[in-house]
């Protein structure tokens, strides 16, 4: 929520969301306007950081650094990033937040929190584990190089830019392999189960048949207006880059992980066995949940939530007259033919269009602000479909690339509408979940640019899961099996609190965690395995969803109780979305100051 110069907080709030929700607010009379020196620091931080992380600029639709690909695992780059963060941390600490207006106080807190967490990660050497089957630069290269992602291929300069990034990637690969060798020496290695997923990904990206090579897409789709001689030149340049640089680089990665690294990969599942693994896990809990909760606290919360949601499932099970156990119910939902109605990929995508049509008439009751940015539903690229969950990709800042809900489809006949819980999944990943939150944040010109681009998993994923809880209000979950699917999604996030902690504290191994998941929710073994291996690759990340959701619900209930009949759920949602993503401790402060 912006605080314009020479205006009171109430005036601005009324302009943004109306006054109903805020009638009991104590005003900051003549609250300070924007601090010029602080905003100059915010602006320089944002600009300088893009040079260090040019892929972020590309993802935002900023073309200035589309030819750059830093060797981010090199000692030089790591030092440059460290020095950059320390410099800004020291500069920001010079400001007295008590003398700042609401918006500036929140911006300062968000950035200091971000810098602290980033610097805290350094001692655990993430560069030793920079490649996993979920998120890594090699996979990003496949997305960008396909010509269907954020890397533009509209001009001759665009095509030249990507060739430069290809050249830089070959250097990155050598450094990544060297860093993983350092990880071997330090005893910091990935689980073998995860390595087994990486190998076929690298092999797929090394495809020698150009008609099936993802990096040949931009050549297949060369703009018609290019001069013929340029088309010939670029075609030859891309063929050379694919055969002489990209394929050898991916073959090198596939060879390294399949032989040298696999032989030294660990058979254990969690990071507690790594050097300083307990401290590492506590750090990642703090990093992803933006709380100081202990593993034990999170584990107990998970057990409590699993129990609560299981009771709700039992209630619905009785209402539909199913007399078997929950496990039998899950088995029925997984295998019953009527829950797998799709025969083509197009039918799967159309089903999500139907969910959107169901939601649209209800949105204005609970949100007075909606994104101007376009939205699309797309199929995940084939090379990553087998290992990618459904997910949302934020739009570019200039609006040329829409917000995209990506749906992975390997075999449409095996997609289960209850197992996937299509309604709650769409609400979370798309509307009013990630698309509303991320697109509105990017469109908000009243907050500093760094706040429009940054986020944290606890807020973003917490909002997505909170959005799922609005399903009935949005006209969904009228089918009891879709409601069971929604509860399945919810218990899935609660189960994560149990199994993530158990994996990374050594209380469960991969097989035990898979078994726990299969016992408590409607997932097939392949899906459960994919999930557990995700948690193994990204310790603590999966804790953010439920932690964030519970915090948003806690704050909603707090202000509903405080304001009584003056409480407006629509205004509560608008206030959160206007503020944009922030750490949960800062969110609590933001709402406290807003409703003071």
């Amino acid at each position: 929520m912006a605080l314009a110069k020479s205006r009171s907080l109430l005036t601005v709030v009324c302009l943004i969301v109306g006054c109903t929700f805020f009638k009991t607010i104590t005003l900051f009379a003549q609250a300070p306007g924007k601090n010029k020196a602080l905003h100059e620091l915010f602006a320089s931080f944002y600009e300088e950081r893009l040079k260090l992380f040019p892929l972020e600029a590309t993802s935002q639709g900023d073309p200035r650094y589309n030819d750059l690909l830093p060797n981010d695992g090199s000692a030089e780059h790591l030092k440059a990033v460290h020095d950059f963060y320390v410099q800004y941390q020291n500069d920001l600490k010079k400001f007295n937040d008590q003398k700042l207006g609401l918006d500036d106080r929140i911006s300062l807190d968000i950035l200091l929190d971000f810098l602290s967490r980033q610097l805290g990660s350094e001692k655990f050497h993430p560069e030793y584990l920079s490649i996993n089957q979920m998120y890594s630069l090699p996979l990003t290269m496949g997305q960008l190089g396909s010509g269907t992602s954020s890397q533009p291929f509209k001009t001759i300069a665009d095509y030249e830019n990507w060739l430069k990034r290809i050249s830089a990637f070959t250097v990155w690969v050598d450094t990544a392999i060297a860093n993983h060798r350092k990880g071997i020496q330090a005893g910091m290695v990935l689980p073998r189960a995860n390595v087994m997923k990486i190998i076929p990904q690298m092999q797929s990206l090394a495809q020698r048949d150009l008609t099936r090579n993802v990096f040949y897409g931009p050549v297949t789709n060369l703009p018609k207006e290019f001069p013929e001689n340029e088309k010939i030149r670029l075609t030859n340049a891309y063929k050379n880059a694919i055969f002489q640089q990209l394929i050898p680089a991916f073959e090198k990665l596939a060879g390294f992980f399949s032989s040298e690294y696999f032989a030294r990969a660990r058979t254990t599942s969690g990071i507690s066995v790594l050097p300083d693994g307990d401290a590492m896990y506590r750090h990642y809990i703090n990093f992803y949940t933006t709380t100081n909760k202990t593993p034990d606290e999170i584990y107990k919360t998970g057990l409590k939530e699993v129990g609560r949601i299981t009771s709700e499932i039992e209630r619905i099970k009785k209402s539909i007259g199913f007399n078997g156990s929950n496990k039998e119910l899950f088995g029925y939902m997984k295998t019953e033919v009527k829950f797998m109605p799709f025969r083509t990929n197009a039918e799967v995508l159309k089903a999500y269009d139907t969910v959107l049509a169901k939601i649209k008439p209800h949105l204005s009751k609970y949100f007075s602000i909606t994104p101007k940015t376009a939205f699309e539903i797309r199929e995940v690229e084939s090379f990553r479909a087998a290992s990618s969950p459904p997910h949302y990709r934020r739009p570019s800042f200039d609006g040329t690339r829409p917000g995209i809900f990506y749906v992975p489809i390997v075999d449409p006949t095996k997609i289960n509408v209850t197992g996937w819980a299509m309604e709650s999944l769409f609400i979370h990943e798309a509307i009013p979940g990630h698309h509303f939150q991320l697109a509105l944040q990017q469109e908000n010109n009243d907050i500093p640019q760094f706040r429009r681009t940054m986020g944290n998993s606890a807020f973003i994923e917490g909002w997505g899961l909170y959005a799922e809880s609005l399903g009935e209000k949005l006209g969904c979950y009228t089918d009891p099996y879709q409601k069971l699917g929604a509860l399945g999604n919810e218990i899935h996030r609660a189960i994560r609190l149990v199994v993530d902690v158990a994996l990374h504290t050594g209380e469960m191994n991969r097989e035990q965690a898979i078994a726990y998941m299969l016992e408590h929710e409607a997932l097939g073994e392949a899906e459960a395995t994919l999930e557990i291996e995700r948690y193994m690759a990204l310790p603590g990340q999966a804790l953010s969803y439920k932690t964030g959701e519970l915090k948003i619900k806690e704050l909603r209930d707090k202000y509903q109780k405080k304001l009584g009949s003056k409480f407006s759920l629509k205004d509560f949602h608008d206030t959160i979305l206007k503020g944009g993503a922030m750490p949960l401790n800062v969110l609590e402060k933001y709402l406290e100051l807003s409703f003071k």
Side-chain angles (χ1 to χ4, degrees):
M1 189 179 307
L3 203 60
K5 287 184 179 180
S6 73
R7 290 185 176 179
S8 71
L9 176 61
L10 181 61
T11 302
V12 178
V13 167
C14 290
L15 287 172
I16 296 175
V17 296
C19 298
T20 304
F21 188 24
F22 299 91
K23 288 180 180 177
T24 63
I25 296 175
T26 300
L27 305 185
F28 288 103
Q30 297 299 316
K34 291 182 178 179
N35 183 295
K36 183 179 179 181
L38 181 60
H39 277 263
E40 288 175 352
L41 203 59
F42 290 156
S44 63
F45 169 82
Y46 173 77
E47 288 295 332
E48 290 179 35
R49 189 172 180 279
L50 286 183
K51 296 175 185 177
L52 289 169
F53 299 95
L55 287 178
E56 292 189 18
T58 300
S59 72
Q60 295 165 21
D62 183 339
R64 290 177 293 169
Y65 311 113
N66 283 347
D67 61 330
L68 300 181
L69 189 73
N71 190 6
D72 60 13
S74 67
E76 294 79 9
H77 189 270
L78 292 172
K79 184 179 185 304
V81 171
H82 170 84
D83 292 345
F84 171 73
Y85 285 154
V86 169
Q87 173 197 332
Y88 275 91
Q89 187 179 59
N90 292 336
D91 289 343
L92 289 166
K93 285 181 178 179
K94 297 174 184 176
F95 291 87
N96 182 347
D97 69 345
Q98 297 300 314
K99 296 182 178 180
L100 300 173
L102 170 63
D103 191 57
D104 284 359
R105 290 178 69 176
I106 297 304
S107 296
L108 179 63
D109 285 351
I110 290 171
L111 189 48
L112 282 172
D113 182 274
F114 170 81
L115 294 171
S116 175
R117 295 185 203 284
Q118 296 298 319
L119 289 167
S121 295
E122 292 178 348
K123 64 180 178 181
F124 299 112
H125 292 285
E127 72 272 15
Y128 291 174
L129 300 168
S130 63
I131 296 175
N132 61 62
Q133 82 279 14
M134 296 302 303
Y135 305 104
S136 66
L137 182 59
L139 297 181
T140 300
M141 288 292 290
Q143 288 179 275
L144 295 176
S146 69
T148 61
S149 187
S150 55
Q151 184 84 23
F153 290 94
K154 297 178 180 179
T155 67
I156 291 172
D158 288 340
Y159 278 78
E160 297 284 4
N161 285 339
W162 181 243
L163 289 172
K164 292 176 183 177
R165 279 189 163 168
I166 289 174
S167 295
F169 178 65
T170 62
V171 178
W172 185 94
V173 167
D174 289 337
T175 300
I177 290 174
N179 280 334
H180 280 76
R181 285 178 175 142
K182 290 179 183 178
I184 292 171
Q185 294 298 316
M188 290 182 61
V189 291
L190 293 165
R192 284 189 177 181
N194 291 39
V195 178
M196 290 176 67
K197 292 294 193 301
I198 294 171
I199 296 166
Q201 290 176 335
M202 300 302 106
Q203 291 171 336
S204 176
L205 288 164
Q207 173 61 247
R208 288 187 168 271
D209 180 352
L210 281 181
T211 64
R212 297 163 59 197
N213 187 296
V214 69
F215 296 104
Y216 201 65
V219 177
T220 303
N221 297 300
L222 277 165
K224 294 179 181 179
E225 62 271 19
F226 281 12
E228 196 61 33
N229 64 319
E230 287 293 347
K231 290 181 182 179
I232 295 171
R233 182 181 69 83
L234 289 172
T235 297
N236 290 332
Y238 269 64
K239 285 181 179 179
N240 288 336
I242 290 170
F243 283 109
Q244 296 177 17
Q245 294 178 298
L246 284 171
I247 290 176
F250 284 109
E251 287 179 338
K252 186 184 295 185
L253 285 169
F256 171 71
F257 280 106
S258 63
S259 56
E260 180 181 342
Y261 195 86
F262 184 79
R264 294 165 177 81
R266 54 188 168 91
T267 56
T268 53
S269 305
I271 62 173
S272 62
V273 298
L274 300 182
D276 212 12
D278 290 339
M280 185 186 302
Y281 187 50
R282 286 176 181 268
H283 166 73
Y284 283 125
I285 288 176
N286 176 269
F287 186 93
Y288 286 115
T289 73
T290 64
T291 73
N292 293 316
K293 292 182 181 294
T294 66
D296 187 57
E297 286 178 287
I298 292 173
Y299 182 80
K300 288 177 179 176
T301 298
L303 291 177
K304 181 179 178 182
E305 284 291 286
V306 169
R308 177 187 65 79
I309 300 164
T310 299
S311 296
E312 181 67 7
I313 292 171
E314 290 280 0
R315 184 188 66 78
I316 297 177
K317 185 177 67 175
K318 289 179 182 178
S319 75
I320 61 176
F322 192 93
N323 296 319
S325 66
N326 282 357
K327 192 168 186 178
E328 288 169 333
L329 172 63
F330 294 158
Y332 168 72
M333 292 170 65
K334 284 188 289 187
T335 58
E336 174 59 35
V337 174
K338 72 177 182 179
F339 298 132
M340 292 177 278
F342 306 116
R343 293 295 173 265
T344 67
N345 293 12
E347 290 176 353
V348 177
L349 299 177
K350 185 177 179 180
Y352 283 110
D353 286 327
T354 301
V355 175
L356 176 57
K358 184 181 293 188
I359 290 170
K360 274 186 175 180
H362 303 278
L363 290 171
S364 61
K365 300 175 188 176
Y366 303 103
F367 301 91
S368 65
I369 54 173
T370 56
K372 299 180 181 68
T373 308
F375 168 78
E376 289 184 11
I377 301 168
R378 289 187 191 174
E379 184 180 343
V380 168
E381 302 94 331
S382 59
F383 75 88
R384 64 188 184 100
S387 60
S388 173
H391 62 281
Y392 174 77
R393 184 175 182 83
R394 67 166 66 201
S396 60
F397 269 84
D398 62 5
T400 57
R401 187 184 73 248
I404 302 168
F405 172 47
Y406 273 110
V407 182
I409 309 172
V410 177
D411 181 350
T413 66
K414 294 181 180 178
I415 291 180
N416 188 305
V417 296
T418 61
W420 274 36
M422 298 189 94
E423 290 182 349
S424 66
L425 175 64
F426 183 86
I427 290 170
H428 178 115
E429 295 293 340
I431 294 172
H434 290 333
H435 181 59
F436 268 30
Q437 191 270 304
L438 290 167
L440 284 169
Q441 179 175 311
Q442 288 190 180
E443 293 172 9
N444 188 353
N445 292 316
D446 292 327
I447 57 177
Q449 188 73 5
F450 82 87
R451 282 180 62 183
R452 296 173 64 194
T453 60
M454 286 186 179
N456 66 82
S457 190
F459 184 99
I460 294 171
E461 298 299 349
W463 172 261
L465 187 50
Y466 171 79
E468 290 181 36
S469 73
L470 304 175
E472 283 93 346
K473 297 179 186 298
L474 297 172
C476 294
Y477 309 162
T478 54
D479 177 348
Y481 289 103
Q482 277 298 321
K483 178 60 178 177
L484 284 168
L487 289 169
N489 269 355
E490 187 178 8
I491 203 171
H492 180 62
R493 277 41 174 263
I495 287 169
R496 286 173 167 177
L497 302 186
V498 177
V499 296
D500 195 280
V501 172
L503 280 167
H504 295 296
T505 57
E507 297 299 318
M508 285 185 188
N509 59 28
R510 172 179 173 273
E511 291 69 30
Q512 290 169 326
I514 292 170
Y516 183 90
M517 186 166 275
L518 290 175
E519 180 182 354
H520 289 91
E521 64 174 315
L523 279 186
E525 186 170 354
E527 292 89 352
T529 300
L530 180 67
E531 286 294 320
I532 294 303
E533 290 176 352
R534 168 188 169 179
Y535 312 152
M536 291 161 60
L538 302 167
Q541 191 275 339
L543 305 176
S544 57
Y545 295 68
K546 198 65 178 164
T547 303
E549 177 222 4
L550 291 174
K551 174 55 71 174
I552 293 172
K553 286 184 173 179
E554 173 194 319
L555 293 168
R556 178 199 62 193
D557 294 346
K558 172 182 176 180
Y559 291 106
Q560 186 170 16
K561 181 179 179 180
K562 179 178 178 180
L563 299 179
S565 62
K566 296 175 182 177
F567 177 81
S568 163
L569 185 58
K570 178 191 288 189
D571 290 343
F572 177 77
H573 293 158
D574 290 348
T575 302
I576 287 180
L577 292 174
K578 276 287 186 180
M582 58 185 74
L584 297 183
N585 60 316
V586 180
L587 173 66
E588 194 160 7
K589 178 178 178 180
Y590 164 67
L591 293 179
E592 182 181 344
L593 290 172
S594 297
F595 306 159
K596 189 173 179 181

